[in-house]
Amino acid sequence: MNNRKPDSRPDERQFAAFSREMETRMRNLLDLKTQLEKTKTALEDDRQSLQLLHDWYFGGSWLQDRDREEKHPLHQPCGVYSEDGLYNLFEDLETLCESVEETCRDFRQLLDPDTGDGEESRGIVQDGQQSQKQ
């Protein structure tokens, strides 16, 4: 009888396949990081546009401007005066922001499970050990 335990380490082929999979996952996350950086920049860049359109629509002269454009068409793209265009855009952006926030909280919890709810990350996990950010 052989009392020796079977070798549980992967052979070279399995190890190579595992390493390729891990490399692909890392590259996917690097791509995601780039997309998140671009999204953050776009949000910062469009903050003023959102504020101006929101103020004009809800507290400004949008209704009067829309009526004026209907009486004297500008013969140019004027989707901003469509009956529900801006309102629906604001609603869609709000819903999307809520969804992204929820997904980000879940994602952050994977980065640092010790925070519990994904709030204020305290560090990153490296090799199974908590590493404090400086």
Side-chain angles (χ1 to χ4, degrees), residues 62-119:
W62 179 86
L63 193 55
Q64 294 85 6
D65 294 343
R66 185 203 63 181
D67 291 344
R68 179 179 178 184
E69 198 281 329
E70 283 180 356
K71 291 177 187 170
H72 307 286
L74 297 171
H75 304 292
Q76 65 187 29
C78 290
V80 73
Y81 294 119
S82 72
E83 192 65 32
D84 296 318
L86 278 176
Y87 185 85
N88 289 344
L89 176 60
F90 296 143
E91 288 288 313
D92 291 347
L93 286 170
E94 177 64 26
T95 300
L96 185 58
C97 283
E98 290 172 359
S99 177
V100 168
E101 287 171 346
E102 182 178 331
T103 301
C104 283
R105 274 192 303 277
D106 293 345
F107 197 85
R108 286 181 65 205
Q109 188 171 13
L110 292 172
L111 290 171
D112 188 2
D114 292 337
T115 62
D117 60 2
E119 296 296 324

Side-chain angles (χ1 to χ4, degrees), residues 5 20 35 46 55 59 88 97 102 106 109 125 128:
K5 292 181 181 179
R20 281 191 304 274
Q35 292 172 10
D46 287 333
D55 291 350
N88 289 344
C97 283
E102 182 178 331
D106 293 345
Q109 188 171 13
V125 176

Side-chain angles (χ1 to χ4, degrees), residues 33-47:
K33 177 182 169 268
T34 299
Q35 292 172 10
L36 287 171
E37 290 167 344
K38 289 178 182 179
T39 299
K40 181 181 182 289
T41 298
L43 287 168
E44 292 167 351
D45 291 348
D46 287 333
R47 183 176 289 172

